[in-house]
Amino acid sequence: MKALYRENLLLMTGTILLAVIILLAILVPAFSPYSYQAQDVNIQNSGSSFFHIFGTDKFGRDIFVRVWYGTRISLLVGIGSALICGTLGILYGSIAGYAGGKADILLMRLADVIDSIPSLLYVILIMLVLGANVGSILLGICISGWIELSRVVRGEVMRLKNQEFCIAARMAGARPGRILRRHLLPNGLGPVIVNVTFLVPKAIFTEAFLSFVGVGISAPAASLGTLIQESRSQMLVYPTQMLYPVLVLCILILSMNLIGAGLERRN
């Protein structure tokens, strides 16, 4: 494992950046003397200082705490959607690829129909019905977010299912579920892991975009996209209020892309 990281600079850099971000997202809101939603009219729009590292916003709220609290939500959306979409994509693609024939055609055409509607439309419609919260965003992203991965898994399963080791397992009487679990998926795991990794920054960016246009997480909770949207009105007078959440968002997405690129290079 150590040799893998030493030889793969992209993977090592991305992992270090992500680890630092996760630690700050956990520790800062937990141990800071300021709450992410506490307002103080006496320190509105103050600059960076020893007590308020990133300064305060127009309501006197500490931006440093709000940025790392917002990172929590962005990470929750990104990692949560990747786990859900990864599970659905692996199951669906495995079944379609192994079954083949008419079942494969039917399953993949159904996936194409779901994928024909833009994912942002799913998210917006669900949020209008269920409200602006993390659960609504996760549900909207996951409706069609698994389909690209399922195509990758399907291709890997179809490529491997006629290999000698798979034929031998079938002749030995192994059930399809066991063949998939013990032979096909472990041998096709490389491209699957890479694609699951890239789902995280995609979901984070989707949530940030929705929050930026005003249909994301509702107050008083705040994601990085929400913080960027809130600071837009102050951008010309207090540009640093937008700079900090934008910078953290960029580093977060960069770290996940570096990890994905590092895993891709390894495979």
Side-chain angles (χ1 to χ4, degrees):
M1 181 64 71
K2 291 181 179 179
L4 168 63
Y5 277 97
R6 282 198 300 266
E7 295 171 3
N8 197 326
L9 184 61
L10 291 177
L11 182 59
M12 182 178 68
T13 304
T15 303
I16 292 173
L17 286 175
L18 182 61
V20 171
I21 289 173
I22 291 175
L23 282 174
L24 289 171
I26 294 173
L27 297 177
V28 171
F31 294 102
S32 173
Y34 307 105
S35 169
Y36 73 93
Q37 58 183 338
Q39 302 181 18
D40 188 345
V41 295
N42 297 315
I43 53 171
Q44 292 175 326
N45 296 317
S46 65
S48 299
S49 65
F50 177 79
F51 295 102
H52 302 283
I53 300 174
F54 288 175
T56 62
D57 63 10
K58 59 186 177 181
F59 297 111
R61 297 174 296 193
D62 185 84
I63 297 176
F64 187 70
V65 174
R66 287 179 63 77
V67 164
W68 295 114
Y69 178 83
T71 304
R72 277 187 182 183
I73 295 179
S74 296
L75 283 169
L76 177 61
V77 171
I79 296 175
S81 66
L83 290 175
I84 296 171
C85 292
T87 302
L88 292 174
I90 290 171
L91 289 174
Y92 198 93
S94 298
I95 294 170
Y98 191 83
K102 293 181 179 179
D104 174 43
I105 294 173
L106 178 62
L107 289 171
M108 296 317 295
R109 296 298 76 77
L110 176 61
D112 290 340
V113 170
I114 297 173
D115 197 35
S116 65
I117 301 174
S119 59
L120 284 177
L121 185 58
Y122 286 124
V123 179
I124 293 171
L125 289 175
I126 288 174
M127 292 180 72
L128 289 175
V129 174
L130 301 180
N133 52 62
V134 174
S136 299
I137 292 179
L138 281 174
L139 179 60
I141 291 175
C142 293
I143 286 179
S144 62
W146 53 272
I147 292 175
E148 185 176 348
L149 177 63
S150 72
R151 293 183 179 127
V152 174
V153 175
R154 170 182 174 268
E156 289 295 307
V157 170
M158 293 184 72
R159 180 178 67 85
L160 294 170
K161 71 177 183 179
N162 293 320
Q163 298 290 326
E164 289 82 357
F165 65 87
C166 188
I167 295 174
R170 282 199 296 269
M171 293 180 65
R175 294 180 178 275
R178 180 178 175 83
I179 294 174
L180 283 168
R181 187 174 63 254
R182 296 293 298 274
H183 301 287
L184 294 180
L185 290 178
N187 283 282
L189 203 58
V192 174
I193 292 176
V194 172
N195 278 271
V196 170
T197 304
F198 282 123
L199 288 174
V200 179
K202 182 179 178 181
I204 290 173
F205 183 80
T206 299
E207 184 279 324
F209 172 76
L210 289 169
S211 297
F212 180 74
V213 298
V215 292
I217 304 295
S218 59
S223 67
L224 292 174
T226 305
L227 295 175
I228 296 169
Q229 194 276 335
E230 288 177 351
S231 61
R232 186 171 55 176
S233 61
Q234 307 284 94
M235 182 173 59
L236 296 179
V237 183
Y238 305 104
T240 56
Q241 292 186 14
M242 178 179 283
L243 173 64
Y244 294 124
V246 167
L247 185 61
V248 173
L249 178 62
C250 290
I251 295 174
L252 177 57
I253 293 178
L254 174 64
S255 68
M256 295 305 307
N257 280 316
L258 288 175
I259 291 173
L263 292 172
E264 190 174 33
R265 176 175 293 185
R266 177 172 175 257
N267 293 291

